[in-house]
Protein backbone atom coordinates (compact mmCIF):
# COMPACT_ATOMS: atom_id res chain seq x y z
CA UNK A 1 0.00 0.00 0.00
CA UNK A 2 2.79 2.41 0.93
CA UNK A 3 4.76 1.83 -2.25
CA UNK A 4 1.61 2.21 -4.37
CA UNK A 5 0.82 5.47 -2.56
CA UNK A 6 4.39 6.69 -3.10
CA UNK A 7 4.13 5.91 -6.82
CA UNK A 8 0.83 7.78 -7.03
CA UNK A 9 2.31 10.77 -5.17
CA UNK A 10 5.21 10.93 -7.62
CA UNK A 11 2.80 10.68 -10.55
CA UNK A 12 0.61 13.47 -9.13
CA UNK A 13 3.61 15.72 -8.42
CA UNK A 14 5.01 15.20 -11.92
CA UNK A 15 1.71 15.94 -13.68
CA UNK A 16 0.16 18.69 -11.52
CA UNK A 17 1.31 21.82 -9.71
CA UNK A 18 0.70 20.73 -6.12
CA UNK A 19 1.34 23.60 -3.74
CA UNK A 20 0.25 22.20 -0.35
CA UNK A 21 -0.08 18.98 1.58
CA UNK A 22 -3.84 19.55 1.61
CA UNK A 23 -3.88 19.72 -2.20
CA UNK A 24 -1.84 16.52 -2.34
CA UNK A 25 -4.26 14.82 0.09
CA UNK A 26 -7.18 15.83 -2.13
CA UNK A 27 -5.45 14.51 -5.27
CA UNK A 28 -4.65 11.26 -3.49
CA UNK A 29 -8.25 10.96 -2.30
CA UNK A 30 -9.49 11.38 -5.88
CA UNK A 31 -7.10 8.58 -6.88
CA UNK A 32 -8.49 6.29 -4.17
CA UNK A 33 -5.85 6.81 -1.47
CA UNK A 34 -7.26 8.27 1.74
CA UNK A 35 -4.36 9.48 3.90
CA UNK A 36 -3.94 11.61 6.99
CA UNK A 37 -1.86 14.77 7.02
CA UNK A 38 0.75 12.99 9.14
CA UNK A 39 1.05 10.18 6.57
CA UNK A 40 1.40 12.65 3.72
CA UNK A 41 4.03 14.62 5.63
CA UNK A 42 5.99 11.40 6.24
CA UNK A 43 5.61 10.39 2.58
CA UNK A 44 6.94 13.78 1.46
CA UNK A 45 9.97 13.35 3.70
CA UNK A 46 10.60 9.73 2.64
CA UNK A 47 10.31 10.61 -1.05
CA UNK A 48 12.66 13.56 -0.59
CA UNK A 49 10.18 15.95 -2.22
CA UNK A 50 11.23 19.58 -2.33
CA UNK A 51 9.45 22.79 -3.23
CA UNK A 52 10.41 24.91 -6.20
CA UNK A 53 9.19 28.28 -7.31
CA UNK A 54 7.03 28.31 -10.43
CA UNK A 55 7.23 31.06 -13.08
CA UNK A 56 4.11 32.69 -11.63
CA UNK A 57 5.77 33.05 -8.21
CA UNK A 58 3.96 30.22 -6.43
CA UNK A 59 5.65 27.13 -5.00
CA UNK A 60 5.01 23.51 -5.87
CA UNK A 61 6.33 20.13 -4.80
CA UNK A 62 8.80 18.44 -7.09
CA UNK A 63 10.52 15.07 -7.24
CA UNK A 64 14.31 15.46 -7.01
CA UNK A 65 16.44 14.39 -9.98
CA UNK A 66 16.74 10.62 -9.93
CA UNK A 67 13.67 10.28 -7.71
CA UNK A 68 15.48 10.51 -4.35
CA UNK A 69 17.97 12.76 -2.63
CA UNK A 70 21.47 11.91 -3.85
CA UNK A 71 23.24 9.66 -1.37
CA UNK A 72 20.17 9.27 0.86
CA UNK A 73 19.91 5.47 0.60
CA UNK A 74 23.66 5.06 0.95
CA UNK A 75 23.66 7.14 4.14
CA UNK A 76 20.84 5.00 5.52
CA UNK A 77 22.75 1.83 4.67
CA UNK A 78 25.81 3.21 6.47
CA UNK A 79 23.72 3.98 9.55
CA UNK A 80 22.26 0.50 9.34
CA UNK A 81 25.64 -1.22 9.01
CA UNK A 82 27.09 0.72 11.92
CA UNK A 83 24.13 0.26 14.26
CA UNK A 84 23.09 -3.40 13.87
CA UNK A 85 25.01 -5.91 16.00
CA UNK A 86 22.94 -9.11 15.58
CA UNK A 87 20.27 -10.54 13.31
CA UNK A 88 18.06 -13.51 14.19
CA UNK A 89 14.99 -15.12 12.64
CA UNK A 90 11.99 -16.42 14.58
CA UNK A 91 9.56 -17.81 12.00
CA UNK A 92 8.33 -14.79 10.02
CA UNK A 93 9.94 -12.27 12.39
CA UNK A 94 13.43 -10.88 12.04
CA UNK A 95 14.89 -9.57 15.27
CA UNK A 96 17.64 -6.97 15.05
CA UNK A 97 19.84 -6.03 17.98
CA UNK A 98 21.49 -2.62 17.70
CA UNK A 99 23.72 -0.34 19.67
CA UNK A 100 21.71 1.50 22.37
CA UNK A 101 19.31 4.07 20.94
CA UNK A 102 19.80 3.09 17.30
CA UNK A 103 16.95 0.65 16.64
CA UNK A 104 14.71 3.47 15.26
CA UNK A 105 17.46 4.51 12.83
CA UNK A 106 17.91 0.91 11.69
CA UNK A 107 14.15 0.58 11.09
CA UNK A 108 14.08 3.84 9.19
CA UNK A 109 16.86 2.57 6.96
CA UNK A 110 15.05 -0.71 6.35
CA UNK A 111 11.78 1.07 5.57
CA UNK A 112 13.57 3.30 3.05
CA UNK A 113 15.24 0.31 1.37
CA UNK A 114 11.86 -1.01 0.23
CA UNK A 115 12.70 -4.62 1.13
CA UNK A 116 10.61 -7.28 -0.59
CA UNK A 117 8.45 -9.25 1.81
CA UNK A 118 8.60 -6.66 4.59
CA UNK A 119 5.23 -6.05 6.22
CA UNK A 120 6.34 -3.60 8.92
CA UNK A 121 8.90 -2.65 11.55
CA UNK A 122 8.74 -1.85 15.25
CA UNK A 123 11.70 -0.32 17.05
CA UNK A 124 12.54 -0.13 20.71
CA UNK A 125 15.77 1.29 22.06
CA UNK A 126 18.21 -1.42 21.01
CA UNK A 127 15.91 -4.05 19.51
CA UNK A 128 13.80 -4.01 16.36
CA UNK A 129 11.19 -6.46 15.16
CA UNK A 130 10.57 -6.82 11.46
CA UNK A 131 7.42 -8.64 10.40
CA UNK A 132 7.92 -10.44 7.11
CA UNK A 133 5.16 -11.89 4.93
CA UNK A 134 6.28 -15.47 5.63
CA UNK A 135 9.10 -17.60 7.06
CA UNK A 136 10.92 -17.82 3.72
CA UNK A 137 10.97 -14.03 3.32
CA UNK A 138 12.39 -13.72 6.84
CA UNK A 139 15.17 -16.20 6.11
CA UNK A 140 16.04 -14.50 2.80
CA UNK A 141 16.12 -11.13 4.52
CA UNK A 142 18.46 -12.46 7.22
CA UNK A 143 20.85 -13.71 4.53
CA UNK A 144 20.81 -10.30 2.81
CA UNK A 145 21.35 -8.41 6.07
CA UNK A 146 24.12 -10.73 7.21
CA UNK A 147 25.91 -10.17 3.89
CA UNK A 148 25.50 -6.39 4.27
CA UNK A 149 26.97 -6.44 7.77
Amino acid sequence: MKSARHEKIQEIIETHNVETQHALAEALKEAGFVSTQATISRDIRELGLTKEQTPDGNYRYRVPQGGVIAGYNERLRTIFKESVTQVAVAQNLVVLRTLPGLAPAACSAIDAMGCAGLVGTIAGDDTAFLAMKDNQAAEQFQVQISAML
Side-chain angles (χ1 to χ4, degrees):
M1 177 78 168
K2 181 178 180 177
S3 61
R5 188 177 63 246
H6 280 190
E7 287 178 30
K8 183 52 79 174
I9 289 172
Q10 288 182 347
E11 178 185 318
I12 291 168
I13 297 300
E14 290 171 354
T15 59
H16 297 85
N17 283 339
V18 178
E19 296 180 11
T20 64
Q21 290 183 8
H22 179 72
L24 181 56
E26 289 299 315
L28 281 170
K29 187 176 179 181
E30 289 176 16
F33 294 88
V34 178
S35 298
T36 65
Q37 186 277 329
T39 299
I40 291 172
S41 180
R42 188 171 37 254
D43 289 340
I44 288 170
R45 186 177 62 252
E46 289 173 359
L47 290 169
L49 300 181
T50 59
K51 281 199 167 184
E52 70 178 358
Q53 191 169 19
T54 61
D56 62 1
N58 293 322
Y59 287 86
R60 69 179 192 104
Y61 285 105
R62 72 184 267 297
V63 178
Q65 294 283 351
V68 294
I69 297 172
Y72 181 72
N73 283 340
E74 191 54 41
R75 285 185 293 197
L76 287 174
R77 282 192 171 94
T78 299
I79 290 169
F80 183 81
K81 285 189 264 189
E82 302 216 357
S83 65
V84 175
T85 59
Q86 291 179 320
V87 181
V89 172
Q91 295 186 11
N92 72 316
L93 295 177
V94 176
V95 180
L96 299 178
R97 298 300 306 236
T98 70
L99 296 172
L102 294 178
C107 283
S108 180
I110 291 167
D111 290 339
M113 289 177 198
C115 302
L118 178 66
V119 177
T121 61
I122 298 175
D125 181 59
D126 64 355
T127 305
F129 292 96
L130 286 63
M132 306 303 286
K133 69 177 182 173
D134 56 33
N135 296 358
Q136 182 181 3
E139 290 169 10
Q140 289 173 345
F141 184 77
Q142 181 192 23
V143 169
Q144 292 172 340
I145 294 306
S146 295
M148 185 190 296
L149 299 177

